[in-house]
Amino acid sequence: MTELTLIRPDDWHLHLRDGAALHTTVAHAAAQFGRAIVMPNLRPPVTDVAAALAYRQRILDALAEVVPADAAAARFEPLMTLYLTDRMTPATIRAARAAGVVACKLYPAGATTNSDAGVTAMRNIYPALEAMQEVGMVLLVHGEVTDPSVDLFDREAVFIEQQLMPLRRDFPLLKIVMEHITTKEAAQYVGEADDFLAATITAHHLLYNRNALFLGGIRPHYYCLPVLKRETHRQALVAAATSGSPRFFLGTDSAPHAAPLKEAAVGCAGCYTAPAAIELYAEAFDNAGALDRLEGFAAFHGADFYGLPRNRGTVTLRKSSWQMPESYPYAETVLKPLRAGETMAWQLQAAA
Ligand SMILES: NC(=O)N[C@@H](CC(=O)O)C(=O)O
Ligand SMILES: [Zn+2]
Ligand SMILES: [Zn+2]
């Protein structure tokens, strides 16, 4: 297959950041996706309804500036989320639901970028989770324990046992998405679960294993959290994504950081894949001989899980090689995408 038309995909896990950065990030996301779940880990984090609605408006303002009103991209719809803290109240959850906020994000405090205001113990958010279960709000989880005695590469698998299993026992009707899964343990756990659990998988975790971090020297642009794992895990993720199971769907976790902040003694975690996300996924599915499963993963399973209508527009991809730019302008600095300067196998042709 050398050309492929899909129902317009959605990104169920995306970091757009804020301010001038939106001119870059929103343009890239809108060119590819119909909708995106926008992560709330700004500084300060998005913890109430007013902040979520104001952020949504800034995204829409940026969209209007970077995309012509008659382009397919102008229909891009940001889906807003709240950042759970120990102090989140049931009243805020109900108000958020009424205002159209679709999900809340659980960052264990200290697990990842801008997570210091996150949750310090699961029991602290039980009243909020009770309210979410009641009103049908989705819980998004960065599923890694923060215990420094647990090996970095084991933190996701340990989280499932120590945190996720008890959580699902206590809230059996709460819809949960385990975000950016990276291990065979997570793929298996989610694959065997009931209708209330799903997982997103990034393009970079489908295409790379942890060797990519050290190829000829340390490669900061391949560093994200949860960190890339060994090849057997990558293969399990590809099997899950291409299985046709509705439990798995697209979430890029495209996470921009200015190049100087990644190329530093202590470099930030996050891979920027938004400029060619659907092309990277197409490559991963093509490598697995499973292009026929891409549309379900990219355009149907997520919408169905969230109870939202499937998109009506389309995107067309062609197998033809091109070179990923070295960088993109990003506020006053630059942003280096994953694969910068390297060859891409698929190219987005058109969106309607
Ligand atoms: N994935 C990452 O490595 N970084 C994300 C945070 C996150 O999704 O954990 C970010 O906001 O930069
Ligand atoms: Zn995360
Ligand atoms: Zn993320």
Side-chain angles (χ1 to χ4, degrees), residues 262-342:
K262 286 197 65 72
E263 298 165 3
V266 179
C268 292
C271 298
Y272 190 59
T273 53
I278 194 64
E279 291 99 322
L280 290 166
Y281 281 106
E283 183 176 324
F285 276 65
D286 193 10
N287 290 345
L291 280 172
D292 57 320
R293 295 274 165 86
L294 181 60
E295 187 176 50
F297 177 81
F300 298 161
H301 301 166
D304 296 352
F305 184 81
Y306 277 80
L308 294 169
R310 294 177 177 183
N311 289 327
R312 282 206 292 271
T314 59
V315 294
T316 299
L317 296 159
R318 183 172 303 152
K319 196 166 190 173
S320 92
S321 61
W322 58 286
Q323 203 187 14
M324 181 75 86
E326 289 288 350
S327 67
Y328 293 97
Y330 187 60
E332 290 87 49
T333 170
V334 296
L335 187 56
K336 295 198 184 162
L338 195 85
R339 283 262 175 103
E342 292 178 48

Side-chain angles (χ1 to χ4, degrees), residues 137-156:
M137 181 111 78
V138 177
L139 175 69
L140 311 177
V141 181
H142 180 108
E144 287 191 290
V145 292
T146 53
D147 180 349
S149 71
V150 177
D151 189 279
L152 183 78
F153 291 91
D154 298 334
R155 288 182 188 177
E156 182 176 283

Side-chain angles (χ1 to χ4, degrees), residues 13 15 17 41 107 112-113 142 180 224-225 253 255 257 269-270:
H13 181 138
H15 300 271
R17 311 306 188 204
N41 62 335
Y107 293 101
T112 186
T113 306
H142 180 108
H180 48 43
C224 66
L225 289 170
D253 192 21
H257 293 276

Side-chain angles (χ1 to χ4, degrees), residues 6-21:
L6 310 171
I7 289 292
R8 194 170 183 78
D10 297 308
D11 186 348
W12 300 99
H13 181 138
L14 176 65
H15 300 271
L16 291 173
R17 311 306 188 204
D18 207 350

